[in-house]
């Protein structure tokens, strides 16, 4: 009886501990989200926030249309560069990378992960801005692509390594060549993890400011030419937050909220998609 | 064609009254190494066509190792090495210039744990034929035929597009069998195919084996002596020697191995005195 009681009490205690840790982890995130929501909502509801580019300082109104287009385009081009290449390298690492070449690639990727993000900006500046002699969206995309690459390839590798070895054996035992088993069985089995990794990388890239400072530079006009300087939401947050105008500060909060929402929505869509293909 | 007459002498040849016996798979003096560790020593086994041959023996004696050599699955484990010969219809599958892909189409495999692909039931069975480049029409016919051969058709015909992972363990194992049958192999290797299944599902698999042996040659590894006695025509008893390398101690018709073992170690194992 008393042993049963201790067990029950211990069980309660451990359960409570778990709930507590979950709350400890979740509370700061929730507080942050709530804070951004409260601060960002007024700016977001202001007329023209979504539809018009910024007005000159002092002129009321204006929005972040240029920055929305800019973030989508810069991150979009960056993803087109990083995701296919990173996924392929991740597949190589998992399926064929138990050797010196694989270890070298892993090491380089880990070094890239540890670099401060401004280093990617300097890289974009040196490689494209300095050689083309002007700031451009595409140089920002390249900088972000290098930043995304290690995230994508490690996520891909991890997802593939988690696919049981018995799955590979099943495919090979049917007389399927190794590369076909990889592409047709192993990659689809890990697709959820691969897609999630790619989205994480995109989300991280969308929120980065430092790599854009010396590359995309920012642009108050709506620009779609990737060879020209371009605005981005993260740049809007960075610039407007430092200005002594309360409506522009509101706009900075709203831009931050918009970034958070974009990342959240992409994640949810991805999850829905992954769940659908896995049924 | 091989006959019992020219089988090597160091393996006790099963006696038989049939005029002509076809040896499908003939392992001769096989040694196998995981790095420096020798897991098989001088293992020989002559597998008759369209019969069920069982490998029994205590855990770690090299049954799985032996079985996986027959379709070169050991190639997937780095640092392994096999010597000796394994003849499939007279061709040595251990020879470096054998087409491994083709070999695995002829010698299929069923694993200890059902390992369906995370795809639909249909796509699981269709995968092999799809690799072979068969037409849609042919594939759909072979899928139905294979599912019927494994007794699954009636159970799944209304949900072919649903995920294979929703099937029960026994159904999944029969699906894996159907998947293996769909590429029309000649030999099927089974590594304890029923060890994770309940008695009813096990019985289903054993009944299927009796059907399948009319058309296929089957080699099965089993821990379970009753199973070996129930299903197999021939039994090889394996044991580790003092250096922990597996050896084939005795090989012959199942009836002889279980009722008239020649080696005292076989008798000890069969009667449950060790292992
Ligand atoms: N990948 C491996 N690397 C090194 N040694 C291995 C490997 N796989 C098996 N072995 C060793 O080879 C020997 C034979 O193993 P094997 O799996 O063939 O035995 P088994 O008869 O199938 O046993 P069980 O009945 O437990 O399945 C064992 O000593 C085992 O430890
Ligand atoms: Mg085994």
């Amino acid at each position: 009886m008393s042993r049963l009681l201790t067990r029950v009490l211990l069980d309660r205690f451990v359960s409570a501990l778990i709930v507590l840790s979950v709350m400890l982890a979740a509370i700061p995130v929730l507080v942050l989200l709530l804070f951004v929501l409260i601060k960002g909502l007024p700016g977001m509801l202001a007329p023209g926030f979504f539809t018009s580019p910024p007005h000159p300082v002092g002129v009321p109104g204006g929005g972040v249309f240029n920055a929305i287009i800019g973030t989508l385009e810069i991150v979009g081009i960056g993803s087109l560069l990083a995701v296919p290449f990173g996924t392929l390298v991740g597949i190589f690492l998992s399926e064929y990378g138990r050797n010196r070449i694989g270890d070298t690639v892993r090491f380089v990727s880990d070094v890239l992960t540890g670099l401060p993000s401004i280093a990617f900006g300097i890289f974009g500046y040196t490689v494209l801005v300095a050689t083309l002699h002007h700031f451009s969206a595409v140089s920002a995309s390249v900088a972000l692509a290098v930043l995304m690459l290690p995230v994508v390839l490690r996520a891909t590798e991890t997802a593939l390594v988690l696919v049981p070895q018995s799955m590979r054996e099943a495919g090979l035992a049917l007389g399927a060549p190794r590369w076909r088993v990889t592409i047709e069985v192993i990659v689809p089995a890990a697709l959820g993890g691969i897609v999630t990794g790619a989205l994480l990388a995109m989300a991280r890239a969308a929120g980065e400011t430092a790599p854009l400072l010396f590359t995309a530079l920012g642009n108050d006009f709506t620009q779609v030419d990737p060879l020209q300087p371009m605005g981005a939401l993260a740049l809007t947050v960075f610039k407007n937050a430092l200005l002594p105008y309360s409506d522009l500060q509101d706009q900075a909060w709203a831009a931050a909220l918009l970034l958070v929402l974009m990342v959240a929505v992409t994640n949810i869509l991805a999850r829905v998609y992954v769940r659908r293909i896995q049924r | 064609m091989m006959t019992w007459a020219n089988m090597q002498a160091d393996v006790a040849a099963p006696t038989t009254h049939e005029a002509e016996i076809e040896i499908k798979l003939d392992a001769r003096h096989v040694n196998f190494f995981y790095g420096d560790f020798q897991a098989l020593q001088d293992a020989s086994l002559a597998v008759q066509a369209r019969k069920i041959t069982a490998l029994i023996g205590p855990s770690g004696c090299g049954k799985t190792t032996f079985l996986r050599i027959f379709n070169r699955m050991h190639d997937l484990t780095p640092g392994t090495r096999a010597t000796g010969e394994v003849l499939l219809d007279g061709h040595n599958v251990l020879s470096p210039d054998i087409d491994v892909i083709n070999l695995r189409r002829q010698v299929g495999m069923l694993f200890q744990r059902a390992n369906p692909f995370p795809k639909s039931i249909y796509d699981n069975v269709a995968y092999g034929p799809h690799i072979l480049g068969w037409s849609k029409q042919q594939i759909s016919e072979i899928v139905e035929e294979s599912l019927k051969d494994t007794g699954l058709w009636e159970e799944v015909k209304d949900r072919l597009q649903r995920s294979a992972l929703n099937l029960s363990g026994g159904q999944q194992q029969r699906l894996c069998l159907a998947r293996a049958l769909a590429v029309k192999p000649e030999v099927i290797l089974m590594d304890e195919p029923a060890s994770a299944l309940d008695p009813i599902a096990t019985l289903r698999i054993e009944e299927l084996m009796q059907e399948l042996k009319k058309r296929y040659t089957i080699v099965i590894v089993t821990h379970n002596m009753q199973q070996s006695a129930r299903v197999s025509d021939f039994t090889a008893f394996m044991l580790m020697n003092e250096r922990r390398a597996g050896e084939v101690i005795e090989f012959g018709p199942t009836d002889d191995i279980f009722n008239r073992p020649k080696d005292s170690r076989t008798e000890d194992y069969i009667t449950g005195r060790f292992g």
Side-chain angles (χ1 to χ4, degrees):
Chain A
M1 181 60 213
S2 80
R3 270 184 59 189
L4 182 64
L5 193 65
T6 16
R7 252 192 245 166
V8 170
L9 284 178
L10 190 69
D11 181 58
R12 292 262 166 84
F13 177 69
V14 173
S15 304
L17 219 59
I18 292 171
V19 172
L20 194 74
S21 349
V22 170
M23 277 162 61
L24 275 179
I27 283 172
V29 178
L30 289 177
V31 168
L32 188 88
L33 283 178
L34 207 65
F35 200 65
V36 176
L37 194 69
I38 291 167
K39 291 288 234 175
L41 221 44
M44 198 172 256
L45 296 176
F49 173 77
F50 290 102
T51 49
S52 87
H55 287 175
V57 173
V59 181
V64 295
F65 180 72
N66 65 324
I68 297 174
I69 299 293
T71 289
L72 291 178
E73 185 169 330
I74 292 170
V75 174
I77 295 174
S79 305
L80 282 180
L81 297 173
V83 172
F85 183 60
T87 308
L88 283 177
V89 176
I91 292 172
F92 162 80
L93 284 181
S94 150
E95 306 301 309
Y96 306 93
R98 303 275 137 70
N99 49 35
R100 276 270 260 308
I101 308 176
D103 291 340
T104 314
V105 175
R106 268 181 215 102
F107 175 73
V108 171
S109 143
D110 286 350
V111 170
L112 278 182
T113 313
L115 285 183
S117 60
I118 197 146
F120 297 96
I122 297 169
F123 171 75
Y125 180 85
T126 319
V127 171
L128 282 169
V129 178
T131 51
L132 298 178
H133 305 296
H134 61 90
F135 294 99
S136 63
V138 74
S139 61
S141 296
V142 168
L144 289 182
V146 183
L147 179 131
M148 292 166 78
L149 200 58
V151 183
V152 175
L153 69 86
R154 283 304 263 230
T156 303
E157 184 191 5
T158 311
L160 289 171
V161 165
L162 286 178
V163 177
Q165 188 62 19
S166 66
M167 217 65 85
R168 296 177 180 83
E169 292 191 338
L172 295 169
L174 288 172
R178 182 106 179 252
W179 65 270
R180 288 197 72 163
V181 176
T182 300
I183 295 174
E184 297 173 342
V185 178
I186 308 305
V187 170
L191 201 57
I194 296 175
V195 171
T196 310
L199 284 165
L200 262 172
M202 285 162 77
R204 193 182 151 199
E208 284 292 346
T209 316
L212 307 184
L213 290 174
F214 316 134
T215 50
L217 188 68
N219 191 337
D220 281 348
F221 299 97
T222 305
Q223 179 59 268
V224 289
D225 181 354
L227 294 174
Q228 295 302 319
M230 200 179 278
L233 286 168
L235 287 173
T236 304
V237 177
F238 178 69
K239 286 177 182 161
N240 289 10
L242 298 176
L243 293 174
Y245 299 89
S246 73
D247 58 336
L248 290 182
Q249 286 174 3
D250 282 353
Q251 209 171 64
W253 280 108
L257 176 59
L258 184 56
L259 263 178
V260 170
L261 291 179
M262 279 165 67
V263 169
V265 167
T266 331
N267 262 311
I268 291 166
L269 287 181
R271 264 159 218 268
V272 171
Y273 166 75
V274 164
R275 199 157 298 162
R276 178 163 304 168
I277 52 165
Q278 278 175 348
R279 226 172 347 114
Chain B
M1 191 182 299
M2 290 285 144
T3 65
W4 285 112
N6 58 17
M7 226 188 79
Q8 57 281 23
D10 59 339
V11 175
T15 49
T16 171
H17 304 294
E18 284 173 47
E20 196 173 12
I21 295 149
E22 185 188 345
I23 301 297
K24 188 72 191 172
L25 201 56
D26 195 1
R28 298 173 168 195
H29 309 290
V30 173
N31 294 298
F32 187 85
F33 302 84
Y34 290 106
D36 293 334
F37 172 67
Q38 182 166 10
L40 286 178
Q41 184 171 334
D42 199 30
S44 295
L45 186 73
V47 176
Q48 262 195 51
R50 289 174 297 281
K51 297 279 188 241
I52 298 175
T53 302
L55 301 178
I56 63 167
S59 190
C61 69
K63 305 180 293 293
T64 298
T65 303
F66 203 14
L67 193 74
R68 288 167 65 93
I69 294 175
F70 296 161
N71 64 346
R72 289 270 292 268
M73 289 305 277
H74 68 267
D75 287 1
L76 308 179
T77 314
T80 55
R81 187 164 58 87
T83 65
E85 285 183 320
V86 176
L87 303 178
L88 174 69
D89 292 326
H91 300 287
N92 185 12
V93 307
L94 296 182
S95 130
D97 42 48
I98 195 112
D99 178 359
V100 176
I101 285 174
N102 206 28
L103 167 69
R104 291 183 185 146
R105 275 171 201 162
Q106 289 174 63
V107 184
M109 192 157 210
L110 191 60
F111 298 82
Q112 182 163 3
R113 296 214 151 260
N115 53 0
F117 301 135
K119 296 177 184 288
S120 71
I121 293 169
Y122 185 94
D123 287 345
N124 261 276
V125 185
Y127 187 65
H130 163 71
I131 292 285
L132 292 170
W134 295 356
S135 75
K136 270 210 158 71
Q137 177 64 29
Q138 283 172 311
I139 292 181
S140 118
E141 281 166 17
I142 193 77
V143 167
E144 180 170 342
E145 189 185 318
S146 306
L147 287 171
K148 280 180 174 159
D149 281 349
T150 51
L152 261 179
W153 179 250
E154 287 305 318
E155 293 160 53
V156 303
K157 65 171 188 235
D158 300 323
R159 46 173 175 154
L160 291 173
Q161 296 309 327
R162 301 269 286 278
S163 168
L165 303 181
N166 297 333
L167 296 173
S168 75
Q171 288 174 325
Q172 288 191 9
Q173 193 60 301
R174 280 186 284 142
L175 181 71
C176 292
L177 185 55
R179 180 177 65 185
L181 295 181
V183 294
K184 307 260 179 207
E186 294 158 26
V187 181
I188 304 169
L189 309 173
M190 303 182 174
D191 190 355
E192 305 196 44
S195 66
L197 304 182
D198 66 62
I200 307 235
T202 303
L203 198 65
R204 282 302 295 273
I205 299 274
E206 290 179 4
E207 285 168 0
L208 272 174
M209 291 174 65
Q210 298 307 322
E211 272 307 303
L212 293 174
K213 80 171 194 186
K214 294 172 186 158
R215 283 173 289 156
Y216 303 93
T217 304
I218 298 176
V219 185
I220 178 175
V221 166
T222 171
H223 243 110
N224 180 328
M225 281 185 287
Q226 284 78 33
Q227 184 172 61
S228 171
R230 272 197 307 269
V231 303
S232 69
D233 302 299
F234 296 96
T235 296
F237 171 60
M238 296 177 66
L239 205 57
M240 286 182 276
N241 63 19
E242 61 287 348
R243 285 169 34 254
R244 299 191 54 240
E247 288 180 6
V248 177
I249 300 298
E250 192 169 347
F251 173 48
T254 297
D255 187 43
D256 288 355
I257 296 285
F258 279 86
N259 297 316
R260 292 170 293 279
K262 295 195 182 72
D263 195 295
S264 64
R265 292 169 292 180
T266 314
E267 190 173 352
D268 287 349
Y269 185 74
I270 301 296
T271 54
R273 245 166 285 175
F274 71 88

